[in-house]
Every structure is written in C-alpha cells, then in structure tokens.
Amino acid sequence: MLTDRERQRIEAEVRLYPHPRAAVPEALKIVQDHRGWVPDEAVREIAELLGLSPATVDSTATFYNMILREPTGRHVIFICDNVSCWVTGYHAIRDHLCERLGVALGETTEDKRFTLLPAACLGECDRAPAMLIDGDVYGNLTPEMLNDILARYD
Ligand code: FES
C-alpha cells in the first residue's frame, strides 16, 4: 500500500503535468526513493491514483531500466554498457566487479551489500567507462580503482 507520504508526493507531482500519464516516471521514482524498489502492488496503486491501467504504469517501469522492480542489495551499481563505455574498457570493469563481488550482472551479493546491474548511457561518455553507485557517478574507471570505490559503501 502506498504510504501517506508517497501518495502526497505523487499527487503533488501530478499537478505539474497536463496529463497524469506524464507523471508516471516520477511516481515510480518516488516509490523507489522510499522503498529502494517498486513492487507490483505499488504499480497497481499508482495506476489507480493516476486513473491509468496497471499495464500502462508497468510498461513505463519496464522501459526505464533504472526503475527497479525487484528487491536489491543495500547499494545498487549501474554499469554503463553503451557505446563509449563499451569501447573504452567496459569489459574489464564488468569482469572485475563480477569477480570481486561474486555475482553476474543482474545479481545481488550474498550479504545483500550490492546489486550489479547494466545501464544505458549515464551521460558521462566523456569520462567513459562509467558507473553509478546509488547517486554517485564514477568515470574514467580502471579495474585498479574499483576496490577503493567499493570500500566506500558498507
Ligand atoms: S556510453 Fe557510457 S556513459 Fe555514455
């Protein structure tokens, strides 16, 4: 069930748009801010609140790969696999992260500390390869930098 705070924030957001459908991405982000991910029940309630079908809200959630539809670890790593990152070292960064964390892309570490996910361009192409951990962007990555960066997240 949406909390009062989530509901208030979504209702405030809807007022900024000419059509409720345009508020769906922000509504999903609001729920994710509060819970870390967006469960099915929240999708249904956002739909009801905005007067849309659950399928419409769900398709928006599916379109945006940073909307998380399953529970995650305490920290979420998005590693960019788009063109600039792909040609400047993505594979070495991905392989190091997978090995260090003991997971494949899409998985969460056993201790629930990290979830490692692929991402489309993070808008940091001039600093490729890049990744995002929670709200922090890291660019010009090399495998040697990764252990120090991961150590910043408990
Ligand atoms: S391609 Fe990776 S940040 Fe743009």
Side-chain angles (χ1 to χ4, degrees):
M1 171 183 266
L2 293 176
T3 65
D4 289 345
R5 184 70 187 124
E6 288 169 335
R7 192 171 284 273
Q8 285 164 2
R9 287 185 63 195
I10 292 168
E11 285 170 346
E13 197 64 37
V14 171
R15 287 194 281 273
L16 302 176
Y17 296 94
H19 190 284
R21 187 174 182 149
V24 171
E26 279 307 315
L28 292 164
K29 279 197 254 171
I30 287 167
V31 171
Q32 187 162 298
D33 279 353
H34 284 256
R35 307 176 189 208
W37 66 292
V38 182
D40 289 346
E41 142 199 304
V43 166
R44 282 193 295 274
E45 292 195 28
I46 289 169
E48 192 177 314
L49 189 61
L50 302 186
L52 302 168
S53 72
T56 298
V57 175
D58 191 41
S59 65
T60 303
T62 304
F63 179 78
Y64 290 98
N65 67 355
M66 289 195 177
I67 296 297
L68 304 170
R69 295 284 279 118
E70 293 180 17
T72 63
R74 294 192 299 283
H75 307 288
V76 178
I77 304 171
F78 283 105
I79 176 170
C80 174
D81 61 6
N82 222 308
V83 177
S84 297
C85 291
W86 184 271
V87 300
T88 54
Y90 158 78
H91 297 89
I93 301 302
R94 178 202 60 195
D95 291 351
H96 186 96
L97 286 171
C98 288
E99 187 182 323
R100 178 80 171 75
L101 299 175
V103 296
L105 275 180
E107 293 181 347
T108 297
T109 56
E110 258 183 48
D111 60 4
K112 308 285 185 218
R113 186 171 163 217
F114 290 107
T115 297
L116 181 62
L117 296 171
C121 180
L122 298 172
E124 295 288 323
C125 312
D126 57 330
R127 300 196 309 136
M131 69 178 181
L132 186 70
I133 303 182
D134 301 341
D136 308 322
V137 180
Y138 296 95
N140 296 318
L141 290 170
T142 64
E144 294 71 31
M145 298 163 67
L146 296 173
N147 292 349
D148 283 346
I149 293 172
L150 294 176
R152 298 172 197 171
Y153 300 87
D154 288 334

